[in-house]
Structure formats: structure tokens, C-alpha cells
Amino acid sequence: MTTRTDDPPSRLGLPLVLFAVLLVGLVNLGELAGWNAMLLQGRLADADGYLRLVRVLELRQGSPWFEDLTMRLAPPEGLVNQWTRPLDILILLPALVLERIAGLSAPDALFVVGVAISPVLHVAAALAAAWGAQAIWPGRAPWYAVLFMAGAPAAATYSALGRPDHHALIILLLAIGLGAVLRAVLPTGGARSAIVAGMAFGAGLWAGPEALIVIAPALLALGIIAIIAEDG
């Protein structure tokens, strides 16, 4: 195995981007013919998706940032929901744009964004995986990385059309973090890649504690490297 002494490429190119969009689109078409067929009837994939949009709608209507009680469900006590806000913001901001430019009502705009947000995150995760693979094996590896991320059952399920799920965001942030870790530990790696990894992992932990399953071993590996590597 050869050791890289030059900086790995960072640009992915338009063909790879189109490849990621095509694969994620095909995966979602397949899901529409199976378990996600309810989307064709104008319904979201699961109850969690509706709860997410209700939560974002409440934020849109002035609910406090740290409010964890949803009064629209399980009255009169309400339903305690302790999801964090990153995905809420990613849904709310495009919905506000749709309200302004398309004249949609707040619920309708949120529904449109809620249907589309997770596949968009899935495409981004596939490209993040390609970016990470490109660091250690330029050439065909980024294409394989896109293929594996687009077709991974967990990623495809959590990132389906009509499923606004924070796990799709976690997958994206972990892909960015792992790619940055790979770049940070190369002989030409530097502080910039390590900072990107830390920011991505921190955002992933903010999105959901499930991210620790990947973050903990990655940080452990970096700690071991820092201890045993001659240059620290």
C-alpha cells in the first residue's frame, strides 16, 4: 500500500453528483412501489413524520425554542417530545421561502418540504461518502461510495420520500465527519479537516444521541493515533 504525500482531491464533479441524484431517485421509486406506497395517496410514511411537521408548525407559530410539549396530541396533558431542533430548522427555512414565493399556507409548505427533505439529505450523504472515499483512494472509489450509501437499507429507509426523519440528517453528518477524519489522519492532513470532523460530529450529536455509535469509536481511534504517532 502506498502512502499519499499530496493533498487528496476535494472536488467531486458534476457526473458524480448526477449519479448520486439518479441512484437516490431510483431507490425512492422502488420504495413507492412497496412499503412507501401511501405517499402516492398524499400521506407521509409514518406517524413520526406528522409529529415532526406538527412540531415545526408550532415553532413557526411562535412556540418557544426549548418547548418539548405538544398539545395537539394526547390532550389534555399533551405529548412530551424531546427531539432537538436541527432538522426542524432545515424544514422550516425552505418552507418559509415557499410561503413567500409560492403563496402556500404554512401547513402546506411544511408538508412539501417534509416530503422532500430526507431524499435531499440522502443525496448529500452519498456525496459526503464519496468525498471521504476520495481521500484514500481517488478514481473509482467515490463512485462505489455513492452506490453503497444510496443503496444502504438503513440510509434508504430513513431517507425516504415523505419521511422527515432526523436519522437522515445524522447519517449525513456522520458521513461528513468520517470523511474529514480520513483526511485529517493522512500524512498531509491538517487542522482544517480535524475541525470539520469535530463540527460534523458535534452537529450529529445535537441531531440525536444515536450518532455516538459512530462518533465514539472514531474519537477513540483518533485518540490512539495522537498517543502513538511520532508527530502527535
Side-chain angles (χ1 to χ4, degrees):
M1 180 177 178
T2 59
T3 300
R4 294 189 61 89
T5 58
D6 57 331
D7 292 332
S10 295
R11 299 186 64 179
L12 298 177
L14 181 59
L16 193 61
V17 174
L18 295 177
F19 182 59
V21 172
L22 174 63
L23 287 182
V24 171
L26 291 175
V27 167
N28 277 279
L29 283 177
E31 291 170 340
L32 288 177
W35 70 270
N36 202 18
M38 70 281 293
L39 184 63
L40 299 176
Q41 304 171 5
R43 294 185 292 159
L44 297 180
D46 56 21
D48 278 2
Y50 285 104
L51 179 56
R52 173 70 66 177
L53 295 189
V54 166
R55 173 182 168 86
V56 181
L57 179 61
E58 290 175 341
L59 181 64
R60 168 70 176 83
Q61 295 173 340
S63 177
W65 179 265
F66 292 107
E67 179 62 71
D68 61 0
L69 186 64
T70 299
M71 297 305 299
R72 285 181 167 87
L73 299 174
E77 296 85 3
L79 178 69
V80 175
N81 185 321
Q82 295 181 334
W83 285 335
T84 52
R85 290 294 191 187
L87 182 61
D88 294 356
I89 296 303
L90 290 180
I91 294 173
L92 179 59
L93 293 180
L96 291 175
V97 174
L98 283 180
E99 287 184 45
R100 180 171 294 273
I101 67 175
L104 297 179
S105 65
D108 288 344
L110 289 173
F111 185 85
V112 171
V113 178
V115 167
I117 185 67
S118 288
V120 171
L121 296 175
H122 195 186
V123 171
L127 294 174
W131 176 72
Q134 194 176 52
I136 56 174
W137 185 18
R140 295 182 179 180
W143 296 83
Y144 293 142
V146 168
L147 179 62
F148 290 142
M149 180 62 81
T157 300
Y158 282 123
S159 304
L161 277 167
R163 189 171 187 177
D165 196 301
H166 65 281
H167 292 93
L169 178 59
I170 292 174
I171 291 170
L172 167 59
L173 293 170
L174 291 180
I176 295 173
L178 290 175
V181 166
L182 290 174
R183 290 171 178 269
V185 299
L186 289 174
T188 57
R192 180 181 300 178
S193 295
I195 291 172
V196 171
M199 292 176 64
F201 284 158
L205 186 58
W206 182 23
E210 303 94 327
L212 278 172
I213 297 173
V214 174
I215 293 173
L219 294 181
L220 177 62
L222 286 175
I224 293 174
I225 290 173
I227 292 172
I228 66 175
E230 293 182 359
D231 60 358

